[in-house]
Amino acid sequence: QAALMELKKTQKQIQAKLSDEELENFVSSQRDWHKFKNSDCLNVGLNPLICLESRTKERVQHLKDYLKGINQG
């Protein structure tokens, strides 16, 4: 749950910095990632909830790294 809240917070921070075209691409990529995450976690042999939490934390870190790049450039 905490990872999902952090994901939403980070997404909003990124969205506030993007142009309309970039925002459209970002939303599309997030949608694709969400589909991948759900499919992957249902098919790995691990507890799906643990997998979803782990994948979400990984995505948050990737997005925070992306946000750093936006802020620096």
Side-chain angles (χ1 to χ4, degrees):
Q1 189 73 343
L4 188 57
M5 291 176 64
E6 187 68 19
L7 177 67
K8 290 179 181 183
K9 175 184 166 189
T10 306
Q11 286 174 330
K12 286 181 182 182
Q13 291 172 334
I14 290 172
Q15 290 171 343
K17 297 181 178 288
L18 299 177
S19 69
D20 289 344
E21 183 178 345
E22 292 168 330
L23 179 59
E24 186 177 320
N25 290 334
F26 178 74
V27 170
S28 178
S29 72
Q30 285 301 101
R31 209 174 286 128
D32 290 343
W33 169 80
H34 186 72
K35 289 177 191 175
F36 165 77
K37 173 193 67 160
N38 288 340
S39 176
D40 186 46
C41 287
L42 290 175
N43 293 309
V44 294
L46 302 171
N47 179 323
L49 294 178
I50 293 171
C51 180
L52 290 169
E53 180 81 7
S54 175
R55 295 291 186 269
T56 301
K57 287 179 181 178
E58 290 171 2
R59 186 63 173 181
V60 167
Q61 188 56 54
H62 291 152
L63 292 178
K64 284 184 176 187
D65 291 344
Y66 178 68
L67 185 58
K68 283 181 193 175
I70 292 174
N71 288 334
Q72 292 174 354

